[in-house]
Amino acid sequence: MAMEQIKRVKGVFNESPDHFSTKMTTGAAVIGNGDVLVAIGGASDKLAFRLSKLDFWQAREGAGLPGARAIGTLTLNTPALNGSSYLLEQSIHDATTRGRFEKNGSELSIAAWTPRNENALVVELQATGNKGITIDPAFEIQDGNESTVENGSDGGIAWYERRFEQVNLLWKTGVTVAMRALNGKAIRLEPGQKHTLVLAVVTNHDTPDYRKRAVTMAQALDEMRLAETKARHLEWWSTLWMKCANVSIGDAYLEDRYYGSHYIIASCCGNRAFPPGLFAWITDDNPAWGGDYHANYNFQAPWWGVLTSNLVELTEPYDKAIMDYLPRMQAYAQRFLNVRGAYCNVGFGPKGLHVDCSNTPYDDGLNFLGQKSNASFLAVNMIMRHYLTHDLDYAEKYAYPYIVEVMNFWEDYLVFEDGRYISPNDCVNECLFYEILPEDSIEFQRAKDRNPILSLALIRMVSRAAIDISK
């Protein structure tokens, strides 16, 4: 029954998706292999595939500077389809988006997928009308934001590269996209004929020699290798759906969203060192808030469903990013509050990157925004995982060391007053300290709140977990 439900779930687009290229969440059809992410949309005669990858960041720190970045766009230029019918179907059971576009007997069908365990985009093309059709694919690498772009060819493979390599970066990032060179020639498909485009996508975080790896992969993914890769891809998704807790409540709307949300999280959670940020699929080179990890709810919430649906392995990327940022939290606790433990600002990124900064004098513009609870909030997922799995190896490596630092913070920060402990200068919501405020702004009063309900609840949760895990 579960697989029948899952096959029913499709995202259907009868016109070009709204909010395709956006600084926030794309409205396009999306596919992903847990690392390489692709948003699909645009007019039928210029169907576009926007590429991003979870480890492609500009790691420069400062106000408005760092963040996840776009890689580039593959466009299928097909003049005969100008004004054609439009159908895109995003199928979650096999993580494939299919399209069909027809005008005056010229019809193009596509199937796009990102192979699990192969960092590539595969686009299968077929002329399914009674006329031939000409497609002119073009790839454009994203530029700007002080990046270096380059392109070339090697052994019949065209490659495109974008790099962030300035000296003031916390760490450097480069990506190569490689595909079989068409040498300026369009693809002509007669009725029934097929053609497959393969784009390999490799970064320096995958391997130092990422250009060579991308070119080699593009050369190797021939028809036989693609068939093997597709079989593994389908097996991976079939196994995932068989493991996923079955929900059958007689409400198709809720069931579809249950399985659909699992498709989204599975599509973008496969790189353990680089979890997805606010939007995962990056379709604009300057995503809002840098596409960061928001510690006051947004980073935690997407994983709550998979923790309770038998797909705990999808949460693997969550913990490493927090542990990588922990030294920063400890330094901030000492620097700003003169206490031990973990004190976290609102927005951070992978590999210890501080993302969320403003040109303000408050907390040196590092945007703690009056909240003392963020580090505790980040512990919620760890605590959920511990109680759901009782995995002692996980508790020893991640949950307990982190929770100890959270407890160290509260032990030093709380003030004993009139027979009870107080969390002073602690706001339940964000204060607007990312703006320059007038001296009489109410935000300064809000920042002096005491014992907000969120902090009280989190202190209770973390304290109990610390005792339970330590037994």
Side-chain angles (χ1 to χ4, degrees):
M1 178 62 182
M3 189 54 74
E4 293 177 10
Q5 292 172 299
I6 292 161
K7 287 184 177 180
R8 180 186 71 204
V9 182
K10 296 180 179 180
V12 179
F13 304 83
N14 295 119
E15 58 185 6
S16 179
D18 292 333
H19 310 297
F20 178 23
S21 180
T22 173
K23 294 181 182 297
M24 301 182 76
T25 302
T26 183
V30 294
I31 53 177
N33 72 345
D35 190 13
V36 172
L37 309 180
V38 183
I40 306 170
S44 53
D45 62 331
K46 294 184 182 297
L47 193 68
F49 302 77
R50 296 190 186 275
L51 275 65
S52 56
K53 195 169 182 294
L54 291 175
D55 58 6
F56 194 67
W57 283 69
Q58 184 181 20
R60 179 176 177 180
E61 297 187 321
L65 292 176
R69 297 292 180 243
I71 292 176
T73 303
L74 171 69
T75 303
L76 303 181
N77 297 293
T78 316
L81 295 179
N82 184 18
S84 74
S85 63
Y86 198 104
L87 177 63
L88 275 178
E89 289 188 336
Q90 175 184 281
S91 298
I92 74 167
H93 76 280
D94 61 356
T96 301
T97 292
R98 296 172 175 84
R100 190 170 66 252
F101 314 93
E102 188 275 334
K103 182 180 179 183
N104 298 330
S106 294
E107 183 175 278
L108 176 66
S109 294
I110 70 148
W113 50 288
T114 48
R116 205 74 190 193
N117 302 319
E118 293 274 10
N119 279 343
L121 164 65
V122 180
V123 183
E124 302 168 1
L125 310 172
Q126 184 176 17
T128 48
N130 54 29
K131 294 181 180 179
I133 194 164
T134 300
I135 308 107
D136 186 9
F139 184 80
E140 183 177 4
I141 196 76
Q142 179 73 44
D143 60 6
N145 271 322
E146 301 182 343
S147 63
T148 300
V149 297
E150 193 176 355
N151 64 79
S153 62
D154 184 354
I157 301 297
W159 56 263
Y160 308 84
E161 203 160 273
R162 187 182 192 196
R163 303 186 299 273
F164 293 103
E165 50 193 3
Q166 303 99 313
V167 296
N168 58 345
L169 297 176
L170 188 62
W171 31 270
K172 297 180 180 181
T173 294
V175 65
T176 300
V177 179
M179 60 185 293
R180 293 192 180 275
L182 297 172
N183 299 319
K185 296 180 181 178
I187 300 168
R188 177 68 182 179
L189 296 179
E190 299 302 330
Q193 285 187 328
K194 300 178 180 180
H195 186 92
T196 300
L197 298 170
V198 179
L199 283 71
V201 187
V202 185
T203 69
N204 64 313
H205 303 294
D206 298 316
T207 176
D209 200 356
Y210 54 99
R211 182 189 300 174
K212 182 179 179 180
R213 172 75 66 82
V215 169
T216 300
M217 186 186 301
Q219 290 170 329
L221 285 170
D222 56 16
E223 185 175 350
M224 184 175 71
R225 174 81 177 274
L226 277 175
E228 296 169 351
T229 299
K230 191 165 195 175
R232 290 194 298 270
H233 171 83
L234 295 175
E235 181 182 10
W236 191 93
W237 281 96
S238 177
T239 300
L240 177 98
W241 294 126
M242 286 190 290
K243 286 185 63 180
C244 183
N246 181 22
V247 170
S248 182
I249 58 175
D251 187 322
Y253 179 88
L254 290 180
E255 291 169 2
D256 289 358
R257 274 140 191 82
Y258 169 80
Y259 289 112
S261 65
H262 281 75
Y263 166 77
I264 293 296
I265 199 75
S267 295
C268 65
C269 289
N271 188 325
R272 292 192 178 191
F274 293 86
L278 286 169
F279 316 114
W281 283 262
I282 303 300
T283 57
D284 184 283
D285 205 41
N286 293 287
W289 300 285
D292 69 8
Y293 310 152
H294 259 40
N296 55 4
Y297 168 78
N298 304 78
F299 186 51
Q300 298 90 325
W303 278 284
W304 293 341
V306 296
L307 280 166
T308 55
S309 61
N310 203 36
L311 296 175
V312 172
E313 65 272 17
L314 292 180
T315 69
E316 294 291 344
Y318 178 83
D319 306 287
K320 190 175 188 310
I322 295 172
M323 299 307 286
D324 285 348
Y325 201 63
L326 181 56
R328 281 280 179 99
M329 298 188 219
Q330 293 169 312
Y332 290 154
Q334 184 64 44
R335 172 180 167 186
F336 291 107
L337 302 173
N338 195 31
V339 298
R340 296 173 301 140
Y343 177 43
C344 191
N345 58 297
V346 173
F348 68 104
K351 299 183 70 173
L353 179 67
H354 186 123
V355 178
D356 188 20
C357 302
S358 299
N359 288 318
T360 66
Y362 320 119
D363 295 322
D364 294 341
L366 295 179
N367 286 353
F368 293 87
L369 306 187
Q371 296 178 305
K372 303 300 187 294
S373 56
N374 291 334
S376 299
F377 210 154
L378 288 171
V380 168
N381 293 31
M382 296 179 178
I383 294 169
M384 284 184 67
R385 179 167 174 173
H386 169 72
Y387 285 129
L388 289 167
T389 67
H390 292 280
D391 182 341
L392 295 182
D393 291 336
Y394 170 79
E396 182 178 5
K397 184 176 181 179
Y398 292 112
Y400 191 67
Y402 182 73
I403 288 171
V404 164
E405 292 305 315
V406 173
M407 290 304 302
N408 285 341
F409 172 81
W410 290 119
E411 285 181 359
D412 284 10
Y413 185 72
L414 295 178
V415 177
F416 194 69
E417 182 180 292
D418 296 331
R420 63 172 183 162
Y421 283 100
I422 301 294
S423 178
N425 303 317
D426 188 0
C427 193
V428 68
N429 298 319
E430 294 179 4
C431 297
L432 305 184
F433 293 151
Y434 45 80
E435 302 175 355
I436 300 294
L437 301 171
E439 292 183 3
D440 61 350
S441 171
I442 193 173
E443 298 301 311
F444 296 111
Q445 293 301 314
R446 291 181 62 228
K448 295 179 181 179
D449 284 353
R450 295 149 57 97
N451 283 1
I453 190 170
L454 178 61
S455 292
L456 294 180
L458 289 171
I459 292 169
R460 186 181 183 89
M461 173 185 280
V462 174
S463 299
R464 283 182 170 177
I467 294 170
D468 289 345
I469 297 174
S470 68
K471 291 178 180 179

